[in-house]
Amino acid sequence: MKHLIVLPAVLAVTACADSGANYQPILDGQPTVAFQSDLAACQSLARNQNQFDQETIGAAVLGAGAGAVLGEVDDEGDALGGAIVGALAGGAAGAVNANERREAIVIECLRGRGH
């Protein structure tokens, strides 16, 4: 039963994994002629930062380990349930962090190109 609850959460986290790279800034004024091509290039740069994905996996693994330990220590908890919850929490936090970092790359890249 726990696996049926966990699967939608895992799918939701992975569905958002690329949202930071798809950031669309709000401009104050008209975009320059080169803006769309620069935006596409900056989004591609942000999307290709694979180290963020590895950090998210690492956060999920650490969360699973911590959750398993806490679940085992808790009188009414279990290690598997704690590991699942910990992995979800760690993975979600890692995904949010990766998205924020990808969004920052898009913004700084566009600034560097004069936008």
Side-chain angles (χ1 to χ4, degrees), residues 5-86:
I5 296 169
V6 170
L7 184 60
V10 170
L11 292 175
V13 168
T14 56
C16 298
D18 202 29
S19 64
N22 294 327
Y23 177 69
Q24 294 277 337
I26 297 172
L27 301 177
D28 183 19
Q30 293 296 320
T32 64
V33 175
F35 178 76
Q36 286 303 322
S37 63
D38 286 344
L39 176 61
C42 291
Q43 288 174 332
S44 178
L45 175 68
R47 198 171 289 115
N48 290 328
Q49 301 302 309
N50 294 330
Q51 75 272 14
F52 299 153
D53 299 327
Q54 295 301 319
E55 290 173 11
T56 300
I57 292 169
V61 170
L62 286 173
V69 169
L70 292 174
E72 189 65 34
V73 172
D74 185 13
D75 291 337
E76 296 178 16
D78 67 285
L80 178 60
I84 291 170
V85 171

